[in-house]
Amino acid sequence: MTAAQAQSASATPQAAISDEASEIVVTARGRSEALQTVPISVSSFNEKTIKDAGIERPADFIGLTPNISIAESQQPGVSFITVRGISQVRNGESPVAVVVDGVLQTVSNQFNSELFDLQQIEVLKGPQGALYGRNAIGGAIVITTREPSNEFFGSGTIGAGNGGQHKAQAGISGPLVEDKLFGSISGSFKSREGYLKNIFLNKKVDFLRDTAVRSRLIYAASDNLKFDYRISYNRTYSGALYFTRNNVVAATGAYQFYPSVQSTSSRPGSPDDYGPPLNSNVDGTALRKLFSTSLKIDLETPIGTLTSTSSYDWVNELTLADASPYTSAAQTTQTSGFSWHAKSTELRLTSDNDQPIRYIVGAYYLDLHRESNRANGVDTGPGIVLPGYNPAGTVNPSTSNTADDNHQTSYAVFGQLNYDITDQLELSGALRYDHDKRDSLNTGKVKDAGSLPNYNPVGTPGTFRKATFDSWQPKATLRYKIDNGTSIYASYSKGFRSGGFNQDGVRAVALRLNPNSLVTDDYKKEISTSYEAGWKAQFLNRAITINGAAFYTRFRNSQYFVFIPEASAQIITNIDKATMKGFELDFNVRPVAGWDVYGNAGYTDATIKKYGASPASEGRTMPYVPKFGYNLGTQYAFAIAENRTLTARVDMHHKGRQYWETLNTAGARSAFDLYDARLSFGAADGKWQLSAWTKNAFDKKYNSEFVAGGFAYPAEPRTFGIDLDVRF
């Protein structure tokens, strides 16, 4: 909730100097409601807060939200969100539903993209599946872009920073036919040379070239009928898979795969060990393309608003890189290619707000096809070829190949009912039924006379598998509104994340390595049962806001990622039982006009209760879950001359101690602090603003991700730059 709670949705600096903060309105329950009375733990970032905080990508707003974290790793489409102990796993579904302008994202690899031309971001915590559906077991993220209207609006941003960073963004919107047809188009370009150097190749490995364009048309056919059409395209070319192996030989203190490099870490080989220098002989690259289009139709009827939403998404990812142990001494490569095609449609009926009984009912359908192709190979010198099987004698002959075609059809029906028992007491109930039907075909290449002698196909090409996963997701909430800014609530809910298929044949590989392995060729659906109680309070004409919540969640078959380097096998398995309990608290205080002091804290105790595949893990801390974290910040805006405003902002982020594997034997990444700062000078009417900024100001070195086996992925070092924003 951070500073957004105490700031107006206005985009002008004048709002930051006003004596009174405006009421924040959110759409967390599918209709417009005041943030302070909606009975859900919600962090809201309005247009002004997004600008003031320099929010440009999901990690920026997640870093300001209690009990939610993100690990960025491997390539642009890969990020691992953890919400209240519920984590995303490699190749698995997200634990949060992401909704953009009322349209649900269908592929988790769409999420980690540049953000621009935004109006509001809402982060909902706790199971939200009853209303938001698939993948909302941990919560939902609701993103609203600027909606074109009769009012003409234009904006532009240019910026530069260290690491050879450059960016440019622009957008324009307004009426095409007054009162009838409105349109907008916006675009973003960002590039950088990078910050992390490969000493063998003598070049930066984390380069980036990102281009995005988005357009929207709204047609008001009548007072009761509106059409909203969106189309977007995003292309990201970047460095990828610059892991290191930081295993240390105890006798020498040197890294196992870099015998000439001595570890200088206080805990050699641990997640705190930033590892040896990057020195692979292959320049890892990734190319991601995103295309999305949707049509939303709203029809006002006597019984409510009937909304039809249809979308098509295409996501394509290609990655070429060095393979484990990621050193120039080993001539190994890895390639992967993924392609998703998804069609979805939803129909829902939403009653009017101004009645004591309010309802939402609807149905949802998804058809999703995914193709994947991975291969490990031998680096013969000339380079890497595209993913797939390559015979002996070629540039990049394969030592292993896994490929499959996956198809998923899902449907759901849902409903929500809110009943005002009195003017102050509301009872809400919601229910959803989800049904997923999945199948998978192994399309890998069989071993033949043209293969390398050590070529190892995983599984049996031609194997076909199918399975069905379904679940009911109920939710009940009781809220008591003390006044317009203060309320208390309690809720019960169940969450669901569908099961699926691992690569065909991974069980056989696991059994060869460990006869007692419980790895399977598929994984089970995940079910959560959650209880939450919370309060929201405002005092002194909204000058002080203090909100909090406590939660307890039980899990069955929590999904967890396992990597088998010997077969390049990326596996999802299930932790039989786990519990998560904790709390979160946030506050915003405005001592004087223009000065905000804000912060939040989140605590999660996530414990493995039963894990048949690894009984020794029972009683240990769940991986990817920071136990305690907090954010503190202050922002002061003041006039320094007629029509000129100066705004200074400082944020401190405390990242809590975090384990990365179930046994906890590798140790935790120790807690640390990151500092961001921003200084802006501009016109009081918001027409222009010049900002200097820095993130990770003290250049803290840490690993963004650590995978069991010593795979360390370095995080971004200090970044800084200057931006110029104009509006007209």
Side-chain angles (χ1 to χ4, degrees):
M1 284 162 262
T2 66
Q5 288 193 327
Q7 293 181 354
S8 166
S10 169
T12 70
Q14 291 170 318
I17 308 177
S18 65
D19 292 315
E20 181 182 339
S22 298
E23 183 175 67
I24 304 297
V25 176
V26 296
T27 58
R29 294 197 296 176
R31 59 178 78 245
S32 296
E33 298 176 283
L35 173 65
Q36 285 303 110
T37 56
V38 66
I40 300 174
S41 181
V42 183
S43 295
S44 178
F45 303 86
N46 59 33
E47 183 181 0
K48 184 179 188 310
T49 308
I50 292 169
K51 182 179 179 182
D52 287 345
I55 293 173
E56 297 181 332
R57 58 184 185 178
D60 293 332
F61 69 79
I62 287 175
L64 291 166
T65 307
N67 272 336
I68 178 170
S69 63
I70 185 170
E72 297 178 284
S73 179
Q74 189 169 313
Q75 62 203 65
V78 176
S79 57
F80 308 106
I81 302 173
T82 299
V83 185
R84 290 183 173 178
I86 309 164
S87 297
Q88 183 173 354
V89 295
R90 222 175 224 90
N91 306 322
E93 304 279 10
S94 171
V96 297
V98 180
V99 179
V100 181
D101 293 333
V103 182
L104 179 67
Q105 285 190 351
T106 53
V107 180
S108 62
N109 295 53
Q110 297 172 270
F111 174 63
N112 199 24
S113 303
E114 294 294 311
L115 302 173
F116 58 98
D117 203 27
L118 299 186
Q119 180 177 315
Q120 186 159 302
I121 302 170
E122 301 169 34
V123 183
L124 290 60
K125 282 158 285 183
Q128 307 296 331
L131 191 59
Y132 288 96
R134 63 190 308 267
N135 303 337
I137 191 169
I141 296 174
V142 181
I143 298 174
T144 305
T145 65
R146 182 183 301 278
E147 181 174 321
S149 66
N150 268 327
E151 182 179 351
F152 177 81
F153 178 84
S155 65
T157 300
I158 57 173
N162 65 321
Q165 182 180 155
H166 298 88
K167 70 176 181 181
Q169 297 174 346
I172 190 169
S173 66
L176 302 177
V177 178
E178 191 168 353
D179 296 328
K180 281 292 184 182
L181 183 63
F182 318 100
S184 68
I185 186 168
S186 55
S188 170
F189 173 76
K190 189 173 186 178
S191 70
R192 68 168 182 247
E193 294 174 4
Y195 313 105
L196 304 172
K197 186 176 181 180
N198 181 311
I199 62 171
F200 182 84
L201 297 173
N202 193 31
K203 63 179 298 186
K204 302 293 176 62
V205 296
D206 56 331
F207 65 89
L208 175 73
R209 303 286 185 275
D210 184 89
T211 305
V213 63
R214 181 173 64 231
S215 184
R216 189 173 180 184
L217 283 174
I218 294 179
Y219 174 50
S222 67
D223 291 341
N224 299 323
L225 181 62
K226 183 175 80 170
F227 296 83
D228 186 347
Y229 176 71
R230 298 169 62 251
I231 186 169
S232 64
Y233 176 76
N234 180 210
R235 183 185 188 275
T236 307
Y237 179 62
S238 71
L241 284 161
Y242 38 89
F243 283 95
T244 62
R245 292 288 295 272
N246 69 0
N247 311 65
V248 173
V249 179
T252 65
Y255 293 108
Q256 176 184 356
F257 302 104
Y258 310 82
S260 63
V261 182
Q262 195 87 6
S263 173
T264 59
S265 171
S266 60
R267 294 196 299 142
S270 75
D272 279 345
D273 192 341
Y274 198 62
L278 301 168
N279 78 333
S280 65
N281 65 307
V282 174
D283 187 16
T285 60
L287 176 63
R288 182 185 63 171
K289 299 177 182 179
L290 309 175
F291 173 79
S292 180
T293 185
S294 66
L295 176 64
K296 186 158 72 80
I297 305 173
D298 291 311
L299 175 65
E300 303 289 342
T301 75
I303 58 173
T305 302
L306 184 64
T307 302
S308 168
T309 305
S310 299
S311 69
Y312 170 75
D313 296 296
W314 172 71
V315 179
N316 186 269
E317 285 191 348
L318 171 66
T319 307
L320 314 173
D322 203 3
S324 177
Y326 301 98
T327 169
S328 57
Q331 307 301 313
T332 56
T333 64
Q334 60 178 312
T335 60
S336 66
F338 291 88
S339 181
W340 292 264
H341 298 266
K343 295 174 287 186
S344 70
T345 186
E346 182 185 88
L347 188 67
R348 69 169 61 194
L349 179 66
T350 305
S351 68
D352 293 336
N353 281 358
D354 55 350
Q355 53 191 50
I357 298 178
R358 300 170 297 282
Y359 55 82
I360 297 175
V361 294
Y364 176 80
Y365 176 78
L366 169 69
D367 184 285
L368 187 150
H369 181 230
R370 187 196 75 167
E371 298 177 347
S372 71
N373 200 333
R374 297 190 188 96
N376 278 28
V378 178
D379 181 2
T380 61
I384 305 178
V385 298
L386 296 179
Y389 168 80
N390 297 306
T394 58
V395 167
N396 194 199
S398 300
T399 56
S400 70
N401 174 229
T402 60
D404 51 64
D405 285 354
N406 295 273
H407 185 233
Q408 173 186 347
T409 55
S410 305
Y411 67 82
V413 291
F414 58 90
Q416 176 178 275
L417 185 68
N418 304 333
Y419 173 50
D420 292 335
I421 300 173
T422 68
D423 289 342
Q424 294 176 291
L425 186 63
E426 180 200 71
L427 176 65
S428 301
L431 183 64
R432 185 183 186 101
Y433 174 73
D434 276 283
H435 182 280
D436 280 4
K437 182 180 179 182
R438 303 190 177 209
D439 61 60
S440 179
L441 174 65
N442 184 335
T443 58
K445 174 67 175 177
V446 299
K447 185 170 184 176
D448 58 23
S451 305
L452 285 176
N454 62 338
Y455 172 69
N456 178 33
V458 178
T460 304
T463 298
F464 180 78
R465 297 172 290 166
K466 61 181 179 179
T468 299
F469 307 93
D470 64 346
S471 181
W472 290 93
Q473 298 176 75
K475 183 171 186 176
T477 305
L478 189 65
R479 180 200 67 191
Y480 182 72
K481 184 168 68 173
I482 298 170
D483 57 41
N484 286 336
T486 306
S487 63
I488 57 175
Y489 67 90
S491 67
Y492 157 83
S493 57
K494 292 193 73 173
F496 161 71
R497 183 157 48 171
S498 185
F501 300 108
N502 288 313
Q503 302 155 5
D504 174 48
V506 295
R507 173 164 172 74
V509 173
L511 288 173
R512 286 200 302 268
L513 299 171
N514 176 11
N516 298 316
S517 174
L518 296 180
V519 167
T520 61
D521 285 337
D522 55 13
Y523 53 94
K524 301 174 184 177
K525 65 182 180 183
E526 185 178 59
I527 300 293
S528 70
T529 303
S530 186
Y531 306 87
E532 179 178 341
W535 80 90
K536 301 185 177 185
Q538 284 185 327
F539 311 98
L540 302 179
N541 201 22
R542 302 192 184 106
I544 300 176
T545 300
I546 304 176
N547 296 339
F551 60 90
Y552 174 77
T553 304
R554 297 194 308 267
F555 273 90
R556 287 190 291 113
N557 300 320
S558 181
Q559 294 170 8
Y560 173 62
F561 172 78
V562 175
F563 180 53
I564 302 178
E566 291 81 359
S568 191
Q570 301 184 20
I571 300 165
I572 299 175
T573 185
N574 293 100
I575 297 172
D576 304 81
K577 293 181 181 179
T579 60
M580 286 79 171
K581 55 187 175 183
F583 68 85
E584 55 216 22
L585 175 74
D586 67 80
F587 71 89
N588 191 300
V589 179
R590 175 165 287 194
V592 298
W595 182 22
D596 288 289
V597 180
Y598 49 86
N600 57 61
Y603 171 84
T604 303
D605 181 6
T607 305
I608 299 169
K609 295 297 185 181
K610 182 180 179 182
Y611 189 14
S614 177
S617 299
E618 294 172 7
R620 308 284 186 176
T621 299
M622 287 282 287
Y624 285 82
V625 183
K627 194 157 193 172
F628 179 68
Y630 60 85
N631 298 287
L632 293 173
T634 184
Q635 179 171 302
Y636 186 38
F638 56 96
I640 60 172
E642 186 177 358
N643 298 322
R644 295 292 181 266
T645 302
L646 187 68
T647 303
R649 179 185 178 110
V650 177
D651 290 284
M652 188 271 275
H653 314 286
H654 178 79
K655 306 297 183 182
R657 181 178 172 86
Q658 180 173 327
Y659 289 96
W660 300 93
E661 36 76 42
T662 60
L663 287 170
N664 299 172
T665 52
R669 186 184 67 187
S670 300
F672 61 93
D673 300 325
L674 298 177
Y675 294 85
D676 301 339
R678 193 174 188 91
L679 184 66
S680 301
F681 169 75
D685 60 4
K687 291 297 180 67
W688 64 270
Q689 181 172 283
L690 184 66
S691 302
W693 57 268
T694 181
K695 297 180 180 180
N696 189 5
F698 296 106
D699 201 23
K700 170 65 180 177
K701 300 291 193 298
Y702 66 99
N703 289 316
S704 178
E705 188 192 19
F706 183 85
V707 180
F711 297 89
Y713 201 79
E716 276 189 6
R718 175 176 52 229
T719 58
F720 54 86
I722 188 167
D723 296 340
L724 174 64
D725 297 288
V726 295
R727 300 187 175 214
F728 51 90

